[in-house]
Amino acid sequence: MLVWYVSYGSNMHAARLGWYIGGGCPPGGKRTYPGCRDRRPPSRSAAVSLPGGIYFAGESGAWTGGMAFYDPQLPGEAAARAYLVTLEQFTDIAAQEMYRPTGDPTDLIPATGAAVDAAVASGRATLGPGRYETLVCPGHRDGVPLLTFTAPEGASAARCRPPAPIYLGMIAKGLRESHGWPTERIVAYLSARPGVAGTWPPDAVAALVDEALVDG
C-alpha cells in the first residue's frame, strides 16, 4: 500500500527526511535515528497546502526548543510537502517521531494500518496519547491518501514555545526546496506562526532564514 506522508515541519527538507529513512544523526542534531527497514527514497514528492496552520510547542528531543504541530482549526493554510512512501515506511517514520522502536512490525504495522483506515474514513485517528500520535487525513492526491501526524490538542490548548534556530532553518530550507518561495514570503510565513510570533521579531527571523538558505 502506498500513502503520501505529509510533512509541515523540518522534514519538508528532503535531506532531513533522509535521516529518518536511512538512519543516523543529522548535523547539529541531538538524536540518532534507526531509519526505516525499507531505505529506498520516496518515489515522488509534491508541494501541498493543508487547511489550517502550524504552531510551535513542547520540547524537541532532536533540536531543543518548540516542535511544529499541525492544527486544522487555525486560520489560513499550512505549507507542506507530501512524499509518496509505502505503508511500512510511513509506519517507521511515525514510530521515530513517536520515539517508538521500528524493528518489530508485529504490532506497529497493523496498528498503524488500522489508524490509517480510520483516518481516511473520518479524517482523524489516534495511535496514542503522546506527541505526533494523532493521525490526520486532510484529503487525497491522485487517489492516494494524504497522511500526517500531530499533537492531540490544538494551538489554543498548547503552551506555545519558540523553536530552536537550526530547526526553524530546516523548515525554511524545506519551504524553499518544495514550494520555491522567495525569502520574503518564507519570513512572513514563519514570523506569523504561534510560538514564533511575539517572540522573535521579523528581522531576527529574516536573518536566520538568510543564513539557512545560504548554507543549504
Side-chain angles (χ1 to χ4, degrees), residues 47-176:
V48 297
S49 296
L50 308 180
I54 68 168
Y55 65 96
F56 294 93
E59 171 74 20
S60 171
W63 307 110
T64 73
M67 300 170 288
F69 295 104
Y70 169 57
D71 182 354
Q73 301 304 315
L74 284 173
E77 289 187 328
R81 185 175 190 175
Y83 297 93
L84 192 61
V85 298
T86 66
L87 177 59
E88 180 187 274
Q89 287 177 312
F90 179 80
T91 299
D92 287 348
I93 293 167
Q96 291 173 90
E97 287 279 26
M98 298 173 196
Y99 285 75
R100 296 185 182 186
T102 61
D104 182 6
T106 304
D107 296 324
L108 196 57
I109 284 183
T112 306
V116 166
D117 290 342
V120 170
S122 65
R124 192 178 184 94
T126 300
L127 277 163
R131 66 180 202 178
Y132 298 126
E133 294 188 352
T134 297
L135 193 60
V136 177
C137 177
H140 291 72
R141 184 181 178 92
D142 300 332
V144 178
L146 295 157
L147 295 163
T148 193
F149 25 78
T150 187
E153 74 277 357
S156 63
R159 179 178 294 178
C160 291
R161 184 165 183 236
I166 190 171
Y167 181 59
L168 202 64
M170 285 278 186
I171 297 175
K173 290 179 182 180
L175 289 168
R176 170 65 60 82

Side-chain angles (χ1 to χ4, degrees), residues 156-210:
S156 63
R159 179 178 294 178
C160 291
R161 184 165 183 236
I166 190 171
Y167 181 59
L168 202 64
M170 285 278 186
I171 297 175
K173 290 179 182 180
L175 289 168
R176 170 65 60 82
E177 190 177 274
S178 57
H179 287 260
W181 284 2
T183 300
E184 295 77 10
R185 185 171 181 183
I186 295 173
V187 171
Y189 176 79
L190 294 177
S191 296
R193 301 308 100 197
V196 176
T199 303
W200 287 7
D203 59 345
V205 177
L208 183 153
V209 169
D210 281 339

